[in-house]
């Protein structure tokens, strides 16, 4: 368990840090039914990680595809033991800040309708439900129907 008082460090995944890369892969495998084959090796992909000092352990990660002028959050996960402690919120804010710094116009993602905690987090940080995507996920993957909320966030104009 983490203390809410400890700051969460959000940074790009350093590919030369084999331990951080391995921890991110373990988190990916434990969070998704089909893990990504490679993390952030494509030029348009960016992986952000969250850590809490003095630990160096990766507690959360986000994989985002940078397609100017929009960023699509492909994967977003927080270690099960660290949920509801501010890690996900800090990670999301760090990703939003990086997008704003590059004058991205919008962020988008899909989240299972069976994940109300994630939907609440995204809404609290400024995302809005754009539409219901029926059978977005394979039936039975997250719930019986596989429905997802497509969520979007428009960013203020930078520059």
């Amino acid at each position: 368990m983490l203390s809410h008082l400890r700051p969460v460090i959000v940074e790009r995944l350093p590919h030369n840090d084999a331990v951080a890369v391995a921890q991110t892969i373990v988190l990916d495998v434990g969070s998704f039914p089909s893990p990504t084959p490679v993390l952030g090796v494509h030029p348009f992909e960016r992986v952000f990680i969250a850590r809490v000092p003095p630990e160096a352990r990766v507690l959360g990660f986000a994989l985002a595809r940078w397609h100017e002028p929009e960023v699509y959050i492909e994967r977003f996960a927080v270690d099960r033991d660290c949920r509801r402690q501010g890690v996900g919120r800090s990670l999301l804010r760090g990703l939003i800040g990086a997008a704003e710094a590059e004058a991205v116009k919008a962020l988008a993602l899909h989240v299972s309708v069976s994940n109300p905690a994630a939907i609440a987090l995204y809404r609290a940080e400024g995302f809005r439900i754009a539409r219901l995507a029926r059978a977005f996920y394979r039936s039975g993957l997250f719930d019986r129907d596989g429905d997802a909320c497509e969520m979007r966030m428009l960013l203020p104009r930078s520059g």
Side-chain angles (χ1 to χ4, degrees):
M1 256 241 153
L2 299 173
S3 165
H4 286 285
L5 302 175
R6 292 172 44 192
V8 177
I9 306 297
V10 176
E11 62 184 344
R12 292 270 305 266
L13 175 64
H15 289 286
N16 62 348
D17 183 342
V19 173
V21 170
Q23 291 172 342
T24 303
I25 290 169
V26 167
L27 191 54
D28 184 44
V29 168
S31 300
F32 297 99
S34 51
T36 190
V38 289
L39 284 171
V41 297
H42 299 292
F44 56 86
E45 287 183 344
R46 301 194 187 161
V47 179
F48 293 84
I49 58 172
R51 305 181 201 211
V52 175
E55 294 180 29
R57 185 170 68 90
V58 174
L59 304 176
F61 84 97
L63 169 65
R65 298 182 190 274
W66 239 253
H67 294 292
E68 306 291 339
E70 183 172 285
V71 169
Y72 182 76
I73 302 171
E74 180 76 28
R75 291 174 180 267
F76 192 93
V78 173
D79 183 290
R80 290 186 196 291
D81 294 335
C82 300
R83 291 181 184 164
R84 306 197 67 76
Q85 298 180 51
V87 174
R89 185 173 310 279
S90 294
L91 181 58
L92 187 57
R93 287 179 177 173
L95 195 152
I96 292 168
E100 287 174 330
E102 294 190 30
V104 167
K105 294 183 177 156
L107 293 161
L109 59 86
H110 286 87
V111 60
S112 172
V113 296
S114 67
N115 192 344
I119 293 168
L121 170 64
Y122 298 136
R123 288 185 101 153
E125 294 304 316
F127 283 81
R128 298 294 167 248
I129 297 174
R131 70 180 185 94
L132 177 65
R134 296 261 180 221
F136 181 80
Y137 300 109
R138 187 179 73 244
S139 180
L141 192 60
F142 296 113
D143 64 10
R144 186 180 50 123
D145 299 321
D147 295 344
C149 293
E150 178 184 319
M151 301 188 77
R152 300 182 59 76
M153 175 186 202
L154 297 178
L155 297 177
R157 263 189 99 87
S158 302

